[in-house]
Amino acid sequence: MPFLRRAATLGASLLLAATLQGCATRQNPDPIESWNRQVFAFNEALDANVLRPVATGYNQVTPEPLRTSVRNVFNNVRDVWSTVNLFLQGRFRDGTVSVMRVAINTTLGLGGLVDWATPMRLDRPNEDFGQTLGVWGVAPGAYIVWPLLGPSTLRDSVSIPGDLYFSASTFGDTDGATFGLAGLQVISVRASLLGATGLLDDVALDKYAFTRDAYLQRRQNLIYEGNPPEDDEPLEDPEDPEAGVPAAAAASASADGAASAPAPAPAPAPAPAPGPTPSAPAQP
């Protein structure tokens, strides 16, 4: 039954993404911005009043070696999901390296408590099913902010069930243990980002827009492995007074101006040069 519920959730997510994929364009990736800003404000209030204070206290009372071990366990479980997506993307060499990483950390690292693979230059992958869909050519669709989960797109939202399934919270035998592990994972991640969010508060004039643009750019870089394709042509704001006028429009404007301008008055003919005055005929 749990498998059927997860399959139904994944199917509903795929249907939602397929239905709403056309809502966003490259010029307007955020067609539901007013709704997203409300959810963003809710998440910010929840973070300021609950998550950030709890994460700060967690850092203060938990020794650094223990915090590192907790992060390593969560990351080791997530590496399994990353490995699956590497193979789905056709990156078999990277997938094989990721299998070695998980195997080493799970065995020698006592279930992931110790990260032996990183010093061995087996770098941690960072893949999910949203990136896999991007590699397969699926457009990101509309930008969307989920309560508690934060920024995403319609395409990346399809990855949420897999991200939740391949997490340490699935090891809980009871509902209480599952929620406890999920809460610990959220606190651990939030504690590792305290410095970054503090910097963001200081530099961002519009925190929502900054977060959205940074998220979309990062996802694009991850899909194309740091080498995203350039846009075919730059976008110009038609209301921007400093935007350049296209050559064809400029030529048309010049032609119209020439046609509508009054014709210049012809130059006066030069006066004849003075000559000798003809004498009157003699009277008889």
Side-chain angles (χ1 to χ4, degrees):
M1 294 302 294
F3 173 77
L4 292 179
R5 287 198 298 268
R6 295 189 185 99
T9 303
L10 179 58
S13 300
L14 288 171
L15 180 61
L16 175 65
T19 303
L20 301 179
Q21 189 69 17
C23 293
T25 62
R26 184 169 62 90
Q27 293 84 354
N28 182 25
D30 191 3
I32 54 174
E33 180 176 349
S34 59
W35 166 259
N36 284 336
R37 283 187 178 272
Q38 296 178 33
V39 179
F40 181 82
F42 167 78
N43 289 343
E44 285 288 289
L46 180 65
D47 180 74
N49 294 286
V50 179
L51 295 181
R52 185 181 299 185
V54 172
T56 302
Y58 173 79
N59 274 354
Q60 293 174 350
V61 303
T62 308
E64 172 60 26
L66 181 57
R67 298 201 306 267
T68 300
S69 297
V70 171
R71 283 198 305 269
N72 287 341
V73 171
F74 292 145
N75 289 335
N76 189 54
V77 176
R78 190 181 184 281
D79 287 348
V80 177
W81 183 227
S82 295
T83 303
V84 172
N85 283 282
L86 284 172
F87 283 109
L88 290 176
Q89 295 171 21
R91 298 166 57 184
F92 300 107
R93 181 180 179 277
D94 293 337
T96 302
V97 172
S98 186
V99 169
M100 297 172 59
R101 175 185 177 85
V102 173
I104 291 173
N105 284 343
T106 303
T107 55
L108 300 180
L110 303 177
L113 287 171
V114 182
D115 181 8
W116 291 108
T118 298
M120 299 171 64
R121 298 186 179 180
L122 299 175
D123 295 331
R124 168 171 289 113
N126 186 18
E127 308 294 325
D128 54 50
F129 194 60
Q131 292 170 241
T132 299
L133 291 175
V135 172
W136 291 351
V138 178
Y143 177 77
I144 184 170
V145 181
W146 292 103
L148 303 179
L149 301 178
S152 184
T153 61
L154 287 176
R155 180 191 63 203
D156 294 342
S157 298
V158 179
S159 182
I160 292 177
D163 294 339
L164 296 178
Y165 181 78
F166 286 94
S167 64
S169 60
T170 58
F171 294 124
D173 296 332
T174 63
D175 291 341
T178 298
F179 285 113
L181 288 172
L184 179 59
Q185 183 172 5
V186 170
I187 294 171
S188 175
V189 173
R190 186 63 186 88
S192 65
L193 298 176
L194 286 173
T197 52
L199 179 62
L200 179 60
D201 292 335
D202 294 336
V203 301
L205 298 178
D206 185 349
K207 192 173 180 180
Y208 170 82
F210 184 90
T211 303
R212 176 195 59 201
D213 296 343
Y215 175 84
L216 294 176
Q217 183 177 3
R218 177 177 178 272
R219 295 295 293 179
Q220 186 81 343
N221 286 333
L222 288 174
I223 290 171
Y224 290 97
E225 301 181 49
N227 188 26
E230 297 182 358
D231 293 336
D232 295 336
E233 56 185 14
L235 299 176
E236 294 181 351
D237 186 355
E239 298 181 357
D240 186 0
E242 298 181 358
V245 180
S252 175
S254 299
D256 293 342
S260 60
T277 304
S279 58
Q283 298 292 330

